[in-house]
């Protein structure tokens, strides 16, 4: 309802072109960031329409409108591009998790490389395209993902449709590993049956599979219930409300079960505390020659096969000498640090997350790797301390989160004497910003190699090699 004294809307103040709710027809001329089709309406308005392809003429409904940009929802394809294929998933149009299933896999790789080159070119100049290599394909374009987060509403489990903001129920995910789907179906049957008395409190279900099996994490948003269930299991007591959870343990076996409490207002995936209920207490994942020993909330790449290819390439392009130390920032649970340790005398690995570092130390013991030195703290602070302590490095690697590098790090890299820097990125826009910052400190981009860590989606993992002449120090 409008406020009583709200001014009347002046129609002349509205930007020209279609408005929210209008049905429009337009030609799609390229794929943009996010895997959406980009077209221009006859009014001159640029429109973004998901699940469309260059060369197609489409009919779409305008969902959101900005002065120079509109976001549309596909109604139908009036002229079909020859590259269009039937999506392997029945809910591709509404699930929101995948973006490119309507494009053949080889064509996906070409399109994703082109989007990356354009994104970097806007920040660094068109010449950057010459050093962007073809995308390294995933050995499997389906059934590759080892972890999936499902949402639960009213006992129903699935994914949230981003266009309609509603839950889309699922009983499988075609990009998730088969073991992951088996666990999903067991949880879904439990929510509809024995678990119904507890379903009101379950907000998310995280399923993670490893080399030796799987783990399920129930994320509960009722603190009292989470505490009661956790204490009951830990004490081995018989509490009526535990009975449904015992049914789930039986249904999941041999997979493990954990509980996690997350306050309703918390946006992070998990709350702070995990309680082990049953089954294997750890996830063991193999990436290349390395076995990672992980807790349920610890990060590792979701596509182990591509991660192995990526980390091997990092070692190849950095080419550390067997007698030198390597700096590895944002090391997470240590997967890349362990690969680098196989080629160097020492790795100084830096990570802020205490859980990830604890897992890294456990994995180091599992793999018999003793020459990684773990540094807890913010990367910019540890880099400064290493610099002031007299440390110097010829080669370094960074694998920051989507937010990218801290603004102080490029200067520290130069002062530390780094000549070869491997930057692993999951966000092309952030990567473009950081490469521009690194350029001001003498770092030049030599090659950009994209890896299709997330087949069927618009996401890419990108390895950029930068070099700097010692004279610039």
């Amino acid at each position: 309802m409008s406020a009583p004294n709200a001014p009347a809307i002046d129609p002349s103040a509205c930007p020209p072109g279609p408005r929210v709710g209008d049905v429009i027809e337009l030609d799609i001329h390229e794929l943009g960031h996010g895997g959406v089709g980009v077209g221009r309406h006859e009014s001159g308005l640029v429109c973004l329409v998901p699940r469309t392809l260059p060369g197609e003429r489409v009919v779409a409904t305008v969902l959101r409108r900005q002065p120079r940009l509109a976001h549309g929802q596909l109604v139908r394809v009036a002229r079909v591009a020859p590259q269009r294929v039937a999506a392997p998933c029945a809910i591709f149009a509404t699930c929101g998790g995948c973006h490119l299933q309507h494009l053949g896999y080889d064509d996906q790789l070409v399109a994703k490389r082109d989007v990356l080159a354009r994104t970097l070119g806007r920040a660094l100049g068109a010449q950057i395209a010459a050093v962007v290599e073809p995308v390294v394909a995933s050995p499997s374009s389906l059934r590759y993902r080892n972890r999936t987060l499902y949402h639960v509403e009213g006992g129903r489990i699935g994914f949230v449709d981003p266009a309609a903001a509603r839950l889309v129920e699922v009983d499988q995910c075609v990009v998730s590993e088969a073991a992951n789907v088996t666990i999903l179906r067991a949880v879904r049957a439990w929510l509809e049956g024995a678990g119904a008395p507890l379903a009101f409190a379950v907000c998310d279900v995280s399923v993670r599979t490893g080399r030796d099996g799987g783990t399920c994490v129930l994320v509960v948003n009722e603190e009292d219930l989470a505490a009661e269930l956790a204490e009951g299991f830990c004490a081995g007591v018989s509490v009526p409300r535990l009975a449904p959870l015992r049914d789930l343990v039986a249904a999941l076996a041999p997979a493990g079960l954990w509980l996690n409490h997350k306050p309703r207002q918390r946006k992070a995936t998990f709350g702070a505390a995990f309680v082990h209920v049953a089954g294997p207490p750890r996830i063991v994942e193999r990436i290349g020659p390395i076995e990672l020993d992980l807790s349920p909330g610890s990060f590792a790449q979701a596509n182990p096969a591509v991660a192995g290819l990526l980390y091997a390439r990092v070692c190849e392009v950095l080419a550390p000498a067997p007698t030198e130390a390597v700096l590895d920032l944002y090391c997470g649970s240590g997967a890349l640090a362990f690969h680098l340790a196989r080629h160097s005398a020492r790795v100084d690995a830096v990570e802020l997350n205490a859980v990830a570092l604890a897992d890294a130390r456990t994995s180091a013991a599992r793999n018999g790797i003793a020459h990684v030195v773990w540094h807890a703290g913010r990367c910019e602070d540890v880099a400064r301390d290493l610099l002031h302590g007299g440390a110097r490095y010829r080669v370094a690697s960074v694998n920051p989160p989507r937010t990218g590098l801290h603004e102080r790090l490029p200067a520290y890299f130069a002062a530390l004497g780094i000549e070869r820097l491997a930057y692993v990125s999951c966000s092309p826009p952030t990567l473009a910003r950081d490469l521009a910052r690194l350029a001001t400190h003498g770092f030049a981009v030599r090659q950009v190699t994209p890896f299709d860590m997330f087949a069927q989606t618009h996401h890419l993992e990108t390895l950029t090699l930068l070099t700097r002449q010692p004279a610039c120090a």
Side-chain angles (χ1 to χ4, degrees):
M1 180 179 295
S2 302
N5 298 320
I9 297 175
D10 179 6
S12 64
C14 295
R19 302 182 183 184
V20 172
D22 287 352
V23 177
I24 61 175
E25 190 167 344
L26 70 156
D27 293 323
I28 303 298
H29 56 81
E30 69 178 28
L31 284 181
H33 181 65
V36 300
V38 181
R40 188 177 296 275
H41 185 252
E42 59 186 12
S43 66
L45 183 69
V46 174
C47 300
L48 308 181
V49 186
R51 296 181 293 279
T52 61
L53 298 174
E56 293 187 330
R57 186 163 182 84
V58 304
V59 178
T61 302
V62 178
L63 296 181
R64 300 193 306 278
R65 177 66 205 274
Q66 299 165 253
R68 298 182 180 179
L69 185 68
H71 298 262
Q73 182 175 23
L74 180 64
V75 175
R76 63 182 176 87
V77 181
R79 184 180 66 239
V80 178
Q83 295 81 13
R84 179 174 284 273
V85 299
C89 177
I91 60 170
F92 165 62
T94 55
C95 153
C98 293
H99 317 98
L100 296 172
Q101 286 189 17
H102 58 306
L103 183 60
Y105 188 57
D106 289 344
D107 290 321
Q108 286 184 33
L109 300 178
V110 173
K112 291 168 84 165
R113 187 262 176 205
D114 290 345
V115 172
L116 174 64
R118 289 199 305 272
T119 301
L120 297 181
R122 283 193 290 269
L124 305 171
Q127 72 280 358
I128 193 72
V131 297
V132 178
E133 300 180 343
V135 178
V136 176
S138 174
S140 299
S141 63
L142 299 172
R143 297 280 181 240
Y144 64 84
R145 189 177 178 89
N146 65 8
R147 70 174 190 274
T148 310
L149 181 67
Y150 302 96
H151 302 290
V152 178
E153 292 179 6
R156 300 178 304 122
I157 186 169
F159 301 114
V160 176
D161 175 2
R166 63 182 179 86
L167 188 81
V168 179
E169 290 189 80
V170 299
D171 70 349
Q172 72 160 323
C173 172
V174 300
V175 298
S176 296
E177 292 181 349
N180 185 299
V181 174
T182 299
I183 295 173
L184 162 67
R185 288 174 171 166
V187 174
R188 181 177 181 178
W190 176 79
L191 287 168
E192 294 173 347
L198 300 181
F200 74 95
V202 180
C203 57
D204 294 306
V205 175
S206 173
V207 180
R208 188 166 186 168
T209 49
R211 189 201 63 184
D212 297 326
T215 288
C216 172
V217 178
L218 287 189
V219 183
V220 178
N221 58 25
E222 294 287 338
E223 185 173 10
D224 292 341
L225 176 62
E228 177 185 342
L229 295 176
E231 291 170 6
F233 261 96
C234 292
V237 298
S238 179
V239 178
R241 297 231 278 185
L242 286 179
L245 211 55
R246 297 191 192 283
D247 289 336
L248 181 58
V249 168
L252 290 176
L257 176 64
W258 291 72
L259 284 178
N260 178 267
H261 168 246
K262 180 177 72 171
R264 290 183 183 275
Q265 67 274 18
R266 184 179 174 90
K267 292 184 179 180
T269 303
F270 299 117
F274 289 83
V275 176
H276 179 235
V277 174
R282 309 282 291 182
I283 286 286
V284 177
E285 185 60 82
R286 175 173 286 275
I287 297 181
I290 302 298
E291 285 192 345
L292 297 178
D293 192 327
L294 303 170
S295 54
S298 189
F299 174 80
Q301 292 289 4
N303 188 334
V306 175
L309 298 174
L310 170 62
Y311 297 153
R313 184 69 65 87
V314 172
C315 295
E316 178 185 330
V317 299
L318 284 184
T323 56
E324 71 179 330
V326 179
L327 179 63
D328 180 34
L329 300 184
Y330 306 95
C331 72
S333 52
L336 178 52
F338 295 135
H339 281 76
L340 290 166
R342 300 177 70 245
H343 302 275
S344 60
R346 188 183 80 249
V347 177
D348 285 315
V350 185
E351 174 58 45
L352 177 64
N353 186 290
V355 174
L357 275 183
D359 283 349
R361 291 187 172 96
T362 301
S363 296
R366 184 184 189 92
N367 290 275
I369 296 175
H371 55 292
V372 178
V373 180
W374 307 102
H375 302 264
R378 298 184 183 280
C379 289
E380 62 274 16
D381 295 337
V382 176
R384 176 201 59 208
D385 294 343
L386 290 169
L387 174 64
H388 292 166
R392 297 295 182 269
Y393 305 89
R394 186 181 67 87
V395 298
S397 61
V398 295
N399 188 0
R402 193 166 296 278
T403 51
L405 298 177
H406 189 277
E407 60 185 6
R408 295 205 308 266
L409 281 174
Y412 289 152
F413 293 157
L416 285 165
I418 293 169
E419 299 175 21
R420 297 178 72 82
L421 175 66
Y423 186 150
V424 178
S425 171
C426 61
S427 172
T430 303
L431 173 64
R433 180 204 67 194
D434 288 346
L435 294 182
R437 289 176 175 174
L438 287 161
T440 66
H441 293 275
F443 288 93
V445 176
R446 296 304 178 194
Q447 66 184 58
V448 179
T449 309
F451 289 78
D452 200 25
M453 191 76 71
F454 309 100
Q456 310 298 338
T457 80
H458 73 83
H459 299 290
L460 272 177
E461 203 79 4
T462 303
L463 166 60
T464 302
L465 173 65
L466 302 101
T467 62
R468 185 175 187 275
Q469 297 300 319
C472 297

